[in-house]
Every structure is written in structure tokens, then in C-alpha cells.
Amino acid sequence: QAQLVESGGGSVQPGGSLKLSCAASGGTMPINTIAWWRQPPGKERELVAQIITDNNPTYRDSVKGRFTISRDNVKTMTYLQMNSLKPEDSAVYFCHFRSHWYAGRQYDYWGQGTQVTVPS
């Protein structure tokens, strides 16, 4: 079972920037969808951004114009560039890969989570 390894989290002042990275440490099925999720303290996990093959990236409204998701298909990696960070962006961020369909199912792979903190 492949493991996704995340890096790039940390603490940054409001208005600052961070870039998160995520890469598979083992083999995966061919990936169709790459996404970033986040879980603020005491709240449910929420979808931040995703790229589905042959489609444009999509973003939740609160990060549009500030966050950019990118995908490296050769290296099976994803990045989340976060600019103009706000305190409400503070959360544990998770990367997520979903495979193409094989024998009637898709395979999901998750990162371990990385903390992003933006003090008030």
C-alpha cells in the first residue's frame, strides 16, 4: 500500500505564503484525481482544491484567487501554493490521490497531514 508523504507546513504571519508538497513513497495505481483537504480545529474535513484529469482545477470559494494546486503526472506529485494566508486558513492539510477505475473500484491514498498555522 502506497503512502503519501507531505511537507512544507509551518507557521506564517497573515498575508504570507507557504507551499505544500505531496509525493507517493511507494507504487500506486494510475492516478486520476489529486486533491488537497484540510481540517480546522474542532471542525470536519473540507475539500480545498482538486485536479481531475482533463479538467481545470477547482477550489472552494474561500481560497479562490489565493491558492493554486498543481500536478506533476510523471513524478506522481502535487503542490499547493498558498498566498495571502489568513488566520481562518489554519488547519491540518491532507493530500489525497484517487486512481482510475479498475475492476469496478477506485483506490484512494492519503497523506499523513501537515499543520499550517496563521496566527491572528
Side-chain angles (χ1 to χ4, degrees):
Q1 186 73 28
Q3 182 177 2
L4 305 186
V5 180
E6 302 179 31
S7 63
S11 181
V12 64
Q13 294 298 309
S17 298
L18 284 173
K19 186 176 183 179
L20 307 183
S21 300
C22 175
S25 63
T28 68
M29 301 295 284
I31 300 302
N32 186 51
T33 301
I34 292 180
W36 286 92
W37 301 71
R38 68 186 182 189
Q39 187 166 11
K43 298 183 178 181
E44 294 184 348
R45 182 183 61 182
E46 60 188 29
L47 181 63
V48 177
Q50 69 176 359
I51 302 176
I52 301 174
T53 299
D54 297 328
N55 291 270
N56 293 324
T58 59
Y59 303 88
R60 70 181 296 110
D61 287 344
S62 62
V63 308
K64 287 181 179 177
R66 301 188 297 118
F67 289 13
T68 302
I69 185 173
S70 59
R71 176 180 182 177
D72 186 326
N73 293 313
V74 175
K75 298 180 179 179
T76 314
M77 296 185 65
T78 183
Y79 304 92
L80 185 68
Q81 178 67 51
M82 304 183 293
N83 298 326
S84 302
L85 283 162
K86 305 175 180 179
E88 51 263 44
D89 295 318
S90 296
V92 178
Y93 284 70
F94 299 89
C95 57
H96 169 218
F97 293 179
R98 174 165 283 183
S99 76
H100 292 272
W101 287 89
Y102 294 94
R105 64 166 291 183
Q106 294 172 287
Y107 295 81
D108 291 295
Y109 308 91
W110 290 90
Q112 82 282 4
T114 186
Q115 178 70 51
V116 172
T117 302
V118 186
S120 299

